[in-house]
Amino acid sequence: MSATLTNWIGGQKQAASAGKTLDNICPATNTCISTIPRSGAVDIDNAVAAARKALKGPWRTSTAAERAGYLETIANTIEARLEEFAQAESRDTGKPVALAKSVDIPRAIANFRFFAGAIRHDETGCHSMPDAINYTVRKPVGIVGLITPWNLPLYLLTWKTAPALAMGNTIIAKPSELTPTTATLLAEVIHEAGVPAGVFNLVHGLGQEAGQAIVGHPAIRGVSFTGGTTTGAHVAASAAPHFKKLSLELGGKNATLVFDDCDLDKAVSGALRAAFANQGQICLCGSRILVQEGIYDAFVERFTNQAKGLTVGDPTAASTNIGAVISQAHRDKVEQYVAVAREEGGTVVAGGKRPTLNGPFADGAFFEPTVITDVDETCRITQEEVFGPLVTIQRFSNADDAVRIANTVRYGLSASVWTGNLDTAHKVSARLDTGMVWVNTWLHRDLRVPFGGVKDSGVGREGGTWSLEFFSEAQNICVYLGDN
Ligand code: NAD
């Protein structure tokens, strides 16, 4: 029997006001595991009323230390329930439980701990003049909307929730309708931590309904959105007339640049992780590998062999490297891109098809890790975000060529550069049109650094002080000291 998940509005569990529900399908087994409220504008209105009331209550005068205390309690509780959170994340997404246990949930815990520390040590500026003193205070934005995708559900929701709480905002969160469970557990944990009712409101539902109602609501003064570029454009257009603060973390088509002088073993395993981690469904995944001609053949051979050696299947098995992708529809999309690549002259050197699995996983949304060569930067397969276990490998001749190919796409989120030459590392990194570059590593994260993209990968930065600034309004106060 499937569970019934609810919204959390004003500290209360609530069904959608219209009584409608959506099915939550486990992609690994293609079975319904829960129903969620299909909320709409009325539910968002109710959440706004609760969030507005909470802004006027004790939350308004809470100290940074008190809010940091809440964040630490939340982190500790998630840590104590790590297994339950990881299992839930795996069931909703199809990702290996081991990945959820080692990456998704620990990172969610780290997000709360990090922003607890950040707000404790936060400081603002003071600019003195001969006859006056200016000081800056930071006020909460007010009610903020947090809209998140399905690929790293708790990880990304907490990346926004923690700084929003730290700065004293009240929240209306809408997780992806495909991955509602850990957000619901989070609402429960936040409530149990003693955060006042109405500070964190969770509203489930479809993007075009509940999500759209958040973006268009005049009382919601800021929206932090992570998701696809097309949706991001829509969100930006809807939010603009209200002059909301807007943070957009969008799609990517990231290049992995591998130079002749790299450590080949490390480059192959790094590029493999960048290509297929989380079934290739991380906005930062290196889905375009560019390899210098001197090592091209050796790289392709090793990379392809290792891709073929990855185990696809049961997300609960410790030996599984690749779980299910998010849905049957998404698997179909990945499969169609393989056909597109073939039409464009590409050669599928690994994967390219659905694996045959038995038992409960026979109908799951699985796809083999796929490697495609013989394509160039004019192809759709190297330009469009697939967001699945599919990677292309292209050849380049020198640094100019590598930078040119890397920068051809509309996206500009991240890149990784693999080289033994420090000069190449610095010079190439600086020429890449991306918000982030990793050298001889990938997804090596320090939560203090700016995170975000350029071009069609988004607007704004998250992380450290960037998040604290987004979730607050700076006010300058100038005190005139007189003439004497
Ligand atoms: P999506 O854009 O379909 O959905 C993201 C969220 O937006 C969901 O909660 C959805 O319900 C909601 N939504 C959809 N339409 C909306 C609307 N009209 N108004 C308001 N909200 C709406 O994205 P997805 O398929 O869930 O996620 C995959 C995408 O997210 C990929 O493109 C990936 O690159 C991107 N992503 C980016 C980052 C980053 O940090 N840059 C991180 C993770 C994922």
Side-chain angles (χ1 to χ4, degrees), residues 263-277:
D263 177 325
L264 191 56
D265 285 342
K266 287 186 181 151
V268 169
S269 61
L272 195 79
R273 193 168 79 85
F276 298 122

PDB file of all heavy atoms in Angstrom, residues 263-277:
ATOM      1  N   ASP A 263      47.785  12.908 -16.108  1.00  0.00           N
ATOM      2  CA  ASP A 263      47.948  11.563 -15.551  1.00  0.00           C
ATOM      3  C   ASP A 263      46.751  10.763 -16.077  1.00  0.00           C
ATOM      4  O   ASP A 263      45.608  10.960 -15.635  1.00  0.00           O
ATOM      5  CB  ASP A 263      47.930  11.661 -14.017  1.00  0.00           C
ATOM      6  CG  ASP A 263      48.030  10.304 -13.344  1.00  0.00           C
ATOM      7  OD1 ASP A 263      47.472   9.331 -13.888  1.00  0.00           O
ATOM      8  OD2 ASP A 263      48.643  10.231 -12.266  1.00  0.00           O
ATOM      9  N   LEU A 264      47.008   9.881 -17.039  1.00  0.00           N
ATOM     10  CA  LEU A 264      45.908   9.248 -17.779  1.00  0.00           C
ATOM     11  C   LEU A 264      44.985   8.437 -16.868  1.00  0.00           C
ATOM     12  O   LEU A 264      43.758   8.499 -17.019  1.00  0.00           O
ATOM     13  CB  LEU A 264      46.474   8.380 -18.908  1.00  0.00           C
ATOM     14  CG  LEU A 264      45.451   7.871 -19.921  1.00  0.00           C
ATOM     15  CD1 LEU A 264      44.652   8.990 -20.558  1.00  0.00           C
ATOM     16  CD2 LEU A 264      46.147   7.041 -21.006  1.00  0.00           C
ATOM     17  N   ASP A 265      45.546   7.693 -15.940  1.00  0.00           N
ATOM     18  CA  ASP A 265      44.696   6.878 -15.055  1.00  0.00           C
ATOM     19  C   ASP A 265      43.718   7.767 -14.281  1.00  0.00           C
ATOM     20  O   ASP A 265      42.528   7.477 -14.184  1.00  0.00           O
ATOM     21  CB  ASP A 265      45.549   6.106 -14.035  1.00  0.00           C
ATOM     22  CG  ASP A 265      46.251   4.927 -14.694  1.00  0.00           C
ATOM     23  OD1 ASP A 265      45.811   4.535 -15.790  1.00  0.00           O
ATOM     24  OD2 ASP A 265      47.238   4.441 -14.125  1.00  0.00           O
ATOM     25  N   LYS A 266      44.274   8.848 -13.739  1.00  0.00           N
ATOM     26  CA  LYS A 266      43.427   9.740 -12.925  1.00  0.00           C
ATOM     27  C   LYS A 266      42.408  10.458 -13.813  1.00  0.00           C
ATOM     28  O   LYS A 266      41.264  10.668 -13.413  1.00  0.00           O
ATOM     29  CB  LYS A 266      44.281  10.761 -12.178  1.00  0.00           C
ATOM     30  CG  LYS A 266      45.043  10.113 -11.030  1.00  0.00           C
ATOM     31  CD  LYS A 266      45.778  11.147 -10.212  1.00  0.00           C
ATOM     32  CE  LYS A 266      46.544  10.445  -9.088  1.00  0.00           C
ATOM     33  NZ  LYS A 266      47.735  11.156  -8.679  1.00  0.00           N
ATOM     34  N   ALA A 267      42.829  10.837 -15.011  1.00  0.00           N
ATOM     35  CA  ALA A 267      41.911  11.543 -15.912  1.00  0.00           C
ATOM     36  C   ALA A 267      40.758  10.624 -16.333  1.00  0.00           C
ATOM     37  O   ALA A 267      39.599  11.059 -16.378  1.00  0.00           O
ATOM     38  CB  ALA A 267      42.662  12.054 -17.135  1.00  0.00           C
ATOM     39  N   VAL A 268      41.082   9.364 -16.626  1.00  0.00           N
ATOM     40  CA  VAL A 268      40.019   8.442 -17.047  1.00  0.00           C
ATOM     41  C   VAL A 268      39.033   8.232 -15.900  1.00  0.00           C
ATOM     42  O   VAL A 268      37.818   8.326 -16.090  1.00  0.00           O
ATOM     43  CB  VAL A 268      40.616   7.086 -17.517  1.00  0.00           C
ATOM     44  CG1 VAL A 268      39.515   6.043 -17.690  1.00  0.00           C
ATOM     45  CG2 VAL A 268      41.369   7.276 -18.831  1.00  0.00           C
ATOM     46  N   SER A 269      39.539   7.962 -14.696  1.00  0.00           N
ATOM     47  CA  SER A 269      38.585   7.700 -13.610  1.00  0.00           C
ATOM     48  C   SER A 269      37.843   8.979 -13.224  1.00  0.00           C
ATOM     49  O   SER A 269      36.651   8.925 -12.892  1.00  0.00           O
ATOM     50  CB  SER A 269      39.250   7.025 -12.411  1.00  0.00           C
ATOM     51  OG  SER A 269      40.235   7.865 -11.907  1.00  0.00           O
ATOM     52  N   GLY A 270      38.500  10.136 -13.312  1.00  0.00           N
ATOM     53  CA  GLY A 270      37.806  11.395 -13.005  1.00  0.00           C
ATOM     54  C   GLY A 270      36.731  11.688 -14.037  1.00  0.00           C
ATOM     55  O   GLY A 270      35.609  12.083 -13.688  1.00  0.00           O
ATOM     56  N   ALA A 271      37.060  11.479 -15.299  1.00  0.00           N
ATOM     57  CA  ALA A 271      36.083  11.750 -16.367  1.00  0.00           C
ATOM     58  C   ALA A 271      34.911  10.770 -16.288  1.00  0.00           C
ATOM     59  O   ALA A 271      33.760  11.135 -16.583  1.00  0.00           O
ATOM     60  CB  ALA A 271      36.764  11.638 -17.730  1.00  0.00           C
ATOM     61  N   LEU A 272      35.202   9.548 -15.855  1.00  0.00           N
ATOM     62  CA  LEU A 272      34.143   8.537 -15.726  1.00  0.00           C
ATOM     63  C   LEU A 272      33.146   8.941 -14.625  1.00  0.00           C
ATOM     64  O   LEU A 272      31.936   8.858 -14.812  1.00  0.00           O
ATOM     65  CB  LEU A 272      34.782   7.180 -15.395  1.00  0.00           C
ATOM     66  CG  LEU A 272      33.882   5.968 -15.578  1.00  0.00           C
ATOM     67  CD1 LEU A 272      33.808   5.585 -17.067  1.00  0.00           C
ATOM     68  CD2 LEU A 272      34.408   4.774 -14.791  1.00  0.00           C
ATOM     69  N   ARG A 273      33.704   9.365 -13.501  1.00  0.00           N
ATOM     70  CA  ARG A 273      32.841   9.815 -12.397  1.00  0.00           C
ATOM     71  C   ARG A 273      32.024  11.030 -12.841  1.00  0.00           C
ATOM     72  O   ARG A 273      30.819  11.107 -12.606  1.00  0.00           O
ATOM     73  CB  ARG A 273      33.712  10.169 -11.187  1.00  0.00           C
ATOM     74  CG  ARG A 273      32.943  10.345  -9.899  1.00  0.00           C
ATOM     75  CD  ARG A 273      33.872  10.400  -8.701  1.00  0.00           C
ATOM     76  NE  ARG A 273      34.521  11.685  -8.525  1.00  0.00           N
ATOM     77  CZ  ARG A 273      34.001  12.730  -7.890  1.00  0.00           C
ATOM     78  NH1 ARG A 273      32.808  12.648  -7.357  1.00  0.00           N
ATOM     79  NH2 ARG A 273      34.664  13.857  -7.771  1.00  0.00           N
ATOM     80  N   ALA A 274      32.701  11.970 -13.518  1.00  0.00           N
ATOM     81  CA  ALA A 274      32.002  13.184 -13.970  1.00  0.00           C
ATOM     82  C   ALA A 274      30.900  12.850 -14.972  1.00  0.00           C
ATOM     83  O   ALA A 274      29.883  13.532 -15.032  1.00  0.00           O
ATOM     84  CB  ALA A 274      33.005  14.161 -14.576  1.00  0.00           C
ATOM     85  N   ALA A 275      31.107  11.810 -15.764  1.00  0.00           N
ATOM     86  CA  ALA A 275      30.123  11.456 -16.795  1.00  0.00           C
ATOM     87  C   ALA A 275      28.911  10.746 -16.203  1.00  0.00           C
ATOM     88  O   ALA A 275      27.775  11.021 -16.598  1.00  0.00           O
ATOM     89  CB  ALA A 275      30.772  10.566 -17.849  1.00  0.00           C
ATOM     90  N   PHE A 276      29.162   9.816 -15.260  1.00  0.00           N
ATOM     91  CA  PHE A 276      28.079   8.887 -14.896  1.00  0.00           C
ATOM     92  C   PHE A 276      27.598   8.976 -13.449  1.00  0.00           C
ATOM     93  O   PHE A 276      26.701   8.222 -13.069  1.00  0.00           O
ATOM     94  CB  PHE A 276      28.524   7.452 -15.211  1.00  0.00           C
ATOM     95  CG  PHE A 276      28.792   7.246 -16.677  1.00  0.00           C
ATOM     96  CD1 PHE A 276      30.041   6.818 -17.127  1.00  0.00           C
ATOM     97  CD2 PHE A 276      27.807   7.513 -17.622  1.00  0.00           C
ATOM     98  CE1 PHE A 276      30.293   6.645 -18.477  1.00  0.00           C
ATOM     99  CE2 PHE A 276      28.052   7.341 -18.980  1.00  0.00           C
ATOM    100  CZ  PHE A 276      29.299   6.911 -19.412  1.00  0.00           C
ATOM    101  N   ALA A 277      28.186   9.833 -12.627  1.00  0.00           N
ATOM    102  CA  ALA A 277      27.700   9.949 -11.250  1.00  0.00           C
ATOM    103  C   ALA A 277      26.218  10.297 -11.274  1.00  0.00           C
ATOM    104  O   ALA A 277      25.774  11.123 -12.088  1.00  0.00           O
ATOM    105  CB  ALA A 277      28.482  11.035 -10.512  1.00  0.00           C
TER     106      ALA A 277
END
